[in-house]
Amino acid sequence: MNKYITFAIVLLISILIGSNVFLSFVVAPVLFSNFDKITAGSIMQLIFPYYFKINWILGVVIYTIIGVLSFKDKEIVKTLKWFLVSVGAIVILNMAQDRSLLPMAKSIQREYVQALEEKQKEKAETLHSQFSNVHTVSSVINVTTMILEIFLLYNFLSFLKINRKEL
């Protein structure tokens, strides 16, 4: 495998991990500690579409690179089987967040703000509970993708170590 291709794959995986860690452990805590929940949530909802799209696009690029390499070396797919399964899972999970959970969360938040403005306390509490459920699912998916991203890096670096002579 070409050293530039190797570098590109490691870089893309590192970007996935870095963006996940930065958004989860820097951006979100800073926003929620400096703004009220509704404002911080609205800002996060502006960031999330880009974050999810970039992540699944990076996953598709990694998958494509390995696919192109497999034309030359058929064994690479077999060797990186779990790596490719993990990349596929990251793509699917980010697409699910982007196309399903985020629109649900936006809709619930919009209704929640409206219920608060109209002083509909019971409806607002119900919507808050619904949002909490969507947020929990989203958080579990986020942690899962972070674990998969770390696995990708470990798996690919292990692959490189084993195949060092061929590089």
Side-chain angles (χ1 to χ4, degrees):
M1 186 180 315
N2 181 305
K3 66 181 178 182
Y4 297 111
I5 293 172
T6 299
F7 175 78
I9 293 171
V10 171
L11 178 65
L12 293 172
I13 296 168
S14 299
I15 291 169
L16 284 170
I17 295 169
S19 66
N20 196 332
V21 168
F22 187 69
L23 191 68
S24 300
F25 298 111
V26 178
V27 175
V30 167
L31 286 175
F32 282 94
S33 64
N34 288 291
F35 297 100
D36 62 88
K37 287 181 183 179
I38 293 173
T39 303
S42 296
I43 294 169
M44 290 301 291
Q45 286 182 7
L46 293 172
I47 296 169
F48 279 142
Y50 300 101
Y51 169 71
F52 296 137
K53 281 176 184 62
I54 288 169
N55 284 352
W56 67 258
I57 288 169
L58 290 177
V60 168
V61 170
I62 293 168
Y63 207 83
T64 303
I65 291 170
I66 300 298
V68 170
L69 291 175
S70 74
F71 290 129
K72 184 178 177 186
D73 177 10
K74 301 291 184 209
E75 290 297 309
I76 197 167
V77 172
K78 195 182 300 181
T79 306
L80 292 174
K81 171 179 53 179
W82 292 111
F83 176 89
L84 292 170
V85 168
S86 298
V87 172
I90 288 170
V91 169
I92 290 167
L93 291 171
N94 277 286
M95 283 182 167
Q97 295 257 61
D98 184 40
R99 298 293 179 195
S100 182
L101 290 174
L102 184 60
M104 257 190 274
K106 281 182 176 182
S107 175
I108 293 168
Q109 185 186 29
R110 213 175 8 257
E111 289 180 48
Y112 173 73
V113 170
Q114 184 178 0
L116 288 178
E117 289 171 352
E118 295 173 358
K119 309 272 191 255
Q120 297 175 339
K121 187 176 179 178
E122 287 182 32
K123 183 177 181 182
E125 288 174 6
T126 302
L127 290 165
H128 185 269
S129 176
Q130 289 175 357
F131 182 82
S132 292
N133 292 337
V134 171
H135 183 266
T136 299
V137 171
S138 180
S139 296
V140 168
I141 290 173
N142 190 55
V143 169
T144 302
T145 58
M146 192 178 301
I147 291 166
L148 288 170
E149 291 160 359
I150 292 167
F151 171 77
L152 286 181
L153 185 60
Y154 173 78
N155 189 273
F156 193 71
L157 292 176
S158 296
F159 166 78
L160 292 176
K161 185 177 178 182
I162 291 167
N163 296 293
R164 186 178 312 170
K165 294 173 191 167
E166 299 171 19
L167 300 177

